[in-house]
Amino acid sequence: MGEGREQNEAFVTLATNDTYALGCLVLGSSLRRVGTTRQLAVMVTSGVSQSMRQQLGGLFNQVVEVNVLDSSDTCNLELLGRPDLSVTFTKFHCWRLTQYQKCVFMDADTLVVQNVDELFDREELSAAPDAGWPDCFNSGVFVYVPSEQTYRNLLSFAVTGGSFDGGDQGLLNLYFNKWATEDIGKHLPFTFNVVSQAFYSYLPAFKQFYDNIKVVHFIGAVKPWHHAYNTASRTVTQLPGTGHSQQFLQMWWNIFMDSVQPNLDPQLYESSVVSQNLSCSGIAGDLANMSLERSGEDGAMRDDRERKLQWEQGQADYMGVDRFDNIKARLDEKIAQPTPSGSGKAPEDQPPPPSE
Ligand code: UDP
Ligand code: GLC
Ligand code: MN
């Protein structure tokens, strides 16, 4: 392979907040572990903190700031059950990375378990079938060719054609609407984007093809970072009813604990509370403050994480723990606390207090 391809081809991912950035860090580490020869690029929006950007910069060759594109298609997103996915139009910015000749986009909730550099031999738009509707492709992993023109086309298509699921997948499937019929070469094997829960719908196939699995995708509202991790036994305990594969969930956590968690900034927790950005940096902040000396994840911390998951899903307990006076009391308490010395943060780096 010529050296050119190593410089001109890239894996690209996206985070609009610190929580998804955790996923990007595990994904990037998993790509490094399987010895990819290609570039790694991550797109971030203003919701990603400075310290998280720094950590991403240590792993990815490029951290690219993009602005949020929001479909605001609440109707179709309700149908999909994921009101949080309106920001996934931000993914379209990946077509603007024209410094590369070819790219593979990967969701922040994917995990690479075997080298997938061969994907760069495929053409735009190559993707694997969606497990829910196999005549559509899943947009968590796709091969594409950066082009400003395609980016503009996608945006005008968004205005005229829209998206049938309110997210990027519903739009990309309408735009690349020949995918299902035109060229079988653009159908990636399912092993390049195995939905973590699919094992349970076809267990014999999972056993048969297990060794071929290259990419696992933790699709759905519950992500690996939402599950409870026991720091004493170093094992993950699934939240009930989520149906993720235990092996792959454990693999995600092993990478997280080995390569990501030790470098997380403990200050993330403070900034998430002070900036009132509980649904953004909250989980990342909690995980930054995990300690292996503890005898396991305590109940209070897990309850807090489960509450944050509900918050992310728009189910804040406004009448109970999340009621305004509770939030305000917590903010007041955090603002009143002096900045810990030796944090390396100048006072002017602190996020502004919330306005009353
Ligand atoms: N994403 C993000 N912030 C969000 C939601 C989504 O950065 O609040 C990005 C992230 O890269 C994520 C992708 O968009 O992996 C698609 O969302 P998700 O993986 O949650 O969708 P699913 O695969 O579960 O349908
Ligand atoms: C899908 C894809 C995800 C996409 C979402 C919204 O479930 O896995 O990548 O963002 O749909 O269209
Ligand atoms: Mn995903």
Side-chain angles (χ1 to χ4, degrees):
M1 191 194 64
E3 207 184 82
R5 292 188 70 180
E6 296 181 1
Q7 300 305 318
N8 298 330
E9 297 176 344
F11 289 98
V12 178
T13 186
L14 162 71
T16 64
N17 57 45
D18 281 357
T19 306
Y20 274 96
L22 296 174
C24 295
L25 287 164
V26 171
L27 166 65
S29 305
S30 73
L31 279 161
R32 294 277 182 224
R33 279 175 182 233
V34 298
T36 181
T37 61
R38 303 316 206 273
Q39 301 288 298
L40 303 188
V42 57
M43 302 186 290
V44 296
T45 65
S46 57
V48 177
S49 69
Q50 208 47 49
S51 86
M52 197 53 103
R53 285 165 195 233
Q54 247 171 27
Q55 190 166 343
L56 288 165
L59 178 65
F60 287 80
N61 302 95
Q62 246 204 315
V63 180
V64 188
E65 168 100 31
V66 298
N67 64 305
V68 175
L69 298 175
D70 191 328
S71 71
S72 302
D73 189 347
T74 37
C75 197
N76 281 323
L77 286 163
E78 288 296 343
L79 213 55
L80 188 68
R82 295 291 302 278
D84 52 315
L85 287 188
S86 64
V87 297
T88 63
F89 271 24
T90 310
K91 239 188 231 186
F92 301 149
H93 278 294
C94 73
W95 265 275
R96 310 190 74 189
L97 301 180
T98 51
Q99 61 273 46
Y100 304 115
Q101 285 167 5
K102 198 182 277 181
C103 293
V104 173
F105 181 88
M106 304 192 75
D107 267 10
D109 60 343
T110 58
L111 176 71
V112 176
V113 296
Q114 292 189 55
N115 188 295
V116 289
D117 287 359
E118 68 198 82
L119 283 175
F120 293 96
D121 296 333
R122 302 270 181 162
E123 288 170 23
E124 174 171 284
L125 184 292
S126 294
D130 184 83
W133 198 268
D135 282 343
C136 289
F137 59 82
N138 181 278
S139 64
V141 177
F142 59 88
V143 183
Y144 72 98
V145 175
S147 147
E148 282 286 345
Q149 187 57 53
T150 308
Y151 172 73
R152 282 195 296 273
N153 291 348
L154 283 167
L155 287 200
S156 39
F157 193 83
V159 176
T160 55
S163 159
F164 65 77
D165 68 3
D168 61 292
Q169 180 164 309
L171 189 140
L172 289 172
N173 270 277
L174 291 173
Y175 186 85
F176 295 101
N177 63 355
K178 302 271 170 33
W179 173 85
T181 50
E182 204 173 55
D183 180 358
I184 194 69
K186 293 181 180 172
H187 279 234
L188 298 179
F190 188 58
T191 49
F192 283 89
N193 186 355
V194 176
V195 175
S196 178
Q197 296 87 332
F199 311 143
Y200 296 94
S201 50
Y202 199 5
L203 207 49
F206 173 55
K207 276 172 63 189
Q208 175 73 14
F209 300 112
Y210 179 85
D211 290 340
N212 298 344
I213 294 175
K214 293 181 190 297
V215 179
V216 178
H217 186 177
F218 296 96
I219 196 169
V222 180
K223 301 300 186 198
W225 49 83
H226 291 124
H227 297 284
Y229 182 79
N230 186 311
T231 49
S233 63
R234 300 188 177 220
T235 52
V236 53
T237 310
Q238 294 207 34
L239 288 172
T242 47
H244 284 151
S245 142
Q246 185 65 27
Q247 289 104 304
F248 289 120
L249 203 52
Q250 185 66 43
M251 197 182 285
W252 189 95
W253 272 93
N254 289 346
I255 295 180
F256 176 74
M257 291 307 289
D258 286 351
S259 311
V260 176
Q261 199 278 340
N263 303 319
L264 287 175
D265 176 4
Q267 292 276 307
L268 276 177
Y269 182 72
E270 306 298 323
S271 28
S272 71
V273 174
V274 175
S275 67
Q276 224 176 344
N277 219 350
L278 287 171
S279 64
C280 290
S281 305
I283 289 176
D286 283 349
L287 295 179
N289 286 281
M290 281 174 97
S291 149
L292 282 177
E293 285 89 65
R294 289 157 65 149
S295 57
E297 190 176 67
D298 59 49
M301 184 168 164
R302 191 167 58 239
D303 286 352
D304 203 36
R305 290 245 302 284
E306 285 179 22
R307 187 176 66 78
K308 277 175 187 151
L309 169 61
Q310 284 181 326
W311 182 296
E312 278 181 11
Q313 291 169 353
Q315 297 162 1
D317 182 11
Y318 291 118
M319 306 304 280
V321 286
D322 298 321
R323 64 181 188 275
F324 179 73
D325 47 338
N326 268 358
I327 295 173
K328 185 167 183 306
R330 195 147 169 219
L331 290 170
D332 289 345
E333 182 196 326
K334 289 289 165 189
I335 293 164
Q337 272 173 12
T339 312
S341 58
S343 70
K345 264 195 163 184
E348 58 270 26
D349 284 339
Q350 300 292 337
S355 49
E356 291 295 321

